[in-house]
Amino acid sequence: VGNGFSLTPGNYLTRPHVAAIALTSAYTIEAWVKVTATGGRIVDHITASIPNGYLLDTYPQNVRAYAGTVFAG
């Protein structure tokens, strides 16, 4: 994106699917976040309850990362 964003609670950014930038090999997800409450998604590209993508979020009092079938948190 090349820009910074300041979002209020309940707001988010989306981008359309672009096959040319799909993650098909090793990758890094990085975010600078000022957390004022826990329980929110920071980065999310996943279908609920299906291990088919990746996410970075806060889930109660912890930061967790999920990629495919691998969970760390």
Side-chain angles (χ1 to χ4, degrees), residues 32-44:
W32 289 34
V33 180
K34 179 180 179 183
V35 178
T36 58
T38 60
R41 297 283 167 95
I42 299 166
V43 176
D44 181 349

Side-chain angles (χ1 to χ4, degrees), residues 20-30 53-54 66-68 70:
I21 61 173
L23 302 176
T24 58
S25 60
Y27 57 90
T28 299
I29 296 175
E30 180 177 337
Y54 54 90
Y66 181 92
V70 179

Side-chain angles (χ1 to χ4, degrees), residues 37-60:
T38 60
R41 297 283 167 95
I42 299 166
V43 176
D44 181 349
H45 183 75
I46 196 166
T47 304
S49 301
I50 300 173
N52 66 347
Y54 54 90
L55 70 79
L56 177 65
D57 71 2
T58 59
Y59 181 73

